[in-house]
Amino acid sequence: FAHESVAWDPHSGALYLSEDNFGFPSGFYKYVPPAGNDPATEGLADGGDLFMLAVKDQPRANLAKKQPARISYPVEWVPIANPNFESTTVGNWTNDEALTYVSSQGLALGGAKFSRLEGTIYDAGLVYFTSTQGGGAAETTDSDSSDGWGNGWGQIWAYDPRAEVLHLMFESPNRNVLDFPDNVTTSPRGTLVVCEDHDEQNYLRGLTRRGKLVTFAQNLMEGRTSDEFAGSTFGGETLFVNIQASRGLTFAIWGPWESIGV
């Protein structure tokens, strides 16, 4: 599938993977390593099991469309029987068939549909992930290769592995509030740092655990095109963040973070 990012849960050993499938519904996945494999000490082993998230009693739930504020869903995981299309006997794959081979298996078993899942991060028992174009009017088909599948300005979700509940942390009402969230990390105080990725001057935003959004940086560099913030990570109290473009840049930003709510 169209892999984007991964977050590791050190308590269960599972890895959570996002899918940024531009023209089709994307799934949220869980990889469970083989029994006895400890990725922290041995490295990650192949041969485990792959699953796709589904909402309980709501098969093929469309979570990419506009949602009630701060809604939560009990979830379950449906198995992906064959995650590798190259191991099948079917030949002459088109690009679209390859892109949707895994997600089609999950959707057939009731997996949930998201719009362009990108950044993931594990922090304090929760797995956060972004849906870049989620939160708008529902798509009428399962293919939108021209504008991207999803009509919103972005959603931020949090999955609780122990309770098996999915929480909507934030849904953008318009691009001036939050515009296509992409990579994420967490500050030492637990605030989610969100990189924007769209076609205008992008911002770095902070989303607190209580759902308050703050803005603390903007890309105002002139004479550049296709810039996007990406790769945010904290080293102690210093935030390192990239601009991904034809001429990439890396910035180091330091506090005082607490005074601005990050």
Side-chain angles (χ1 to χ4, degrees):
F1 62 89
H3 295 261
E4 179 71 17
S5 66
V6 61
W8 178 54
D9 177 358
H11 294 287
S12 69
L15 290 94
Y16 295 90
L17 302 99
S18 64
E19 177 178 28
D20 181 11
N21 199 343
F22 184 83
F24 302 91
S26 293
F28 187 61
Y29 300 93
K30 177 174 68 171
Y31 175 70
V32 179
N37 174 227
D38 182 2
T41 59
E42 305 170 350
L44 182 64
D46 196 2
D49 296 307
L50 185 67
F51 301 87
M52 185 177 184
L53 181 140
V55 176
K56 284 187 176 180
D57 302 320
Q58 295 187 46
R60 293 174 59 94
N62 184 358
L63 301 184
K65 68 180 182 180
K66 183 175 177 59
Q67 300 289 316
R70 307 284 288 185
I71 191 170
S72 297
Y73 293 102
V75 301
E76 56 191 0
W77 296 90
V78 297
I80 302 297
N82 187 356
N84 186 358
F85 72 89
E86 292 178 343
S87 67
T88 70
T89 57
V90 180
N92 300 317
W93 290 87
T94 68
N95 189 59
D96 285 352
E97 287 171 337
L99 279 172
T100 59
Y101 181 69
V102 167
S103 61
S104 294
Q105 293 178 64
L107 291 174
L109 295 176
K113 297 188 286 186
F114 294 92
S115 168
R116 301 192 56 208
L117 299 185
E118 298 206 76
T120 56
I121 189 75
Y122 175 90
D123 185 68
L126 297 175
V127 181
Y128 298 95
F129 60 96
T130 60
S131 172
T132 296
Q133 290 181 220
E139 291 277 11
T140 57
T141 69
D142 274 354
S143 177
D144 187 356
S145 298
S146 58
D147 298 320
W149 200 85
N151 295 310
W153 302 106
Q155 299 165 321
I156 298 172
W157 296 90
Y159 171 62
D160 183 338
R162 295 184 179 182
E164 293 200 310
V165 174
L166 181 67
H167 305 280
L168 177 64
M169 299 296 295
F170 193 85
E171 183 174 271
S172 179
N174 59 68
R175 74 181 309 172
N176 295 321
V177 174
L178 179 64
D179 189 14
F180 280 22
D182 194 328
N183 288 174
V184 289
T185 192
T186 48
S187 78
R189 280 151 296 282
T191 298
L192 199 67
V193 173
V194 184
C195 299
E196 287 189 339
D197 166 21
H198 206 185
D199 54 4
E200 294 184 4
Q201 295 167 345
N202 294 320
Y203 292 85
L204 292 175
R205 317 274 193 182
L207 181 67
T208 69
R209 289 183 178 272
R210 295 184 176 182
K212 179 183 178 182
L213 196 71
V214 298
T215 301
F216 64 90
Q218 182 184 10
N219 178 13
L220 290 174
M221 300 183 69
E222 297 181 353
R224 297 170 61 93
T225 59
S226 302
D227 279 4
E228 65 175 88
F229 281 120
S232 56
T233 188
F234 271 91
E237 291 290 322
T238 302
L239 174 67
F240 296 93
V241 65
N242 303 320
I243 285 184
Q244 175 183 312
S246 57
R247 292 180 292 131
L249 298 169
T250 299
F251 294 94
I253 309 172
W254 53 92
W257 294 107
E258 192 170 358
S259 66
I260 61 173
V262 177

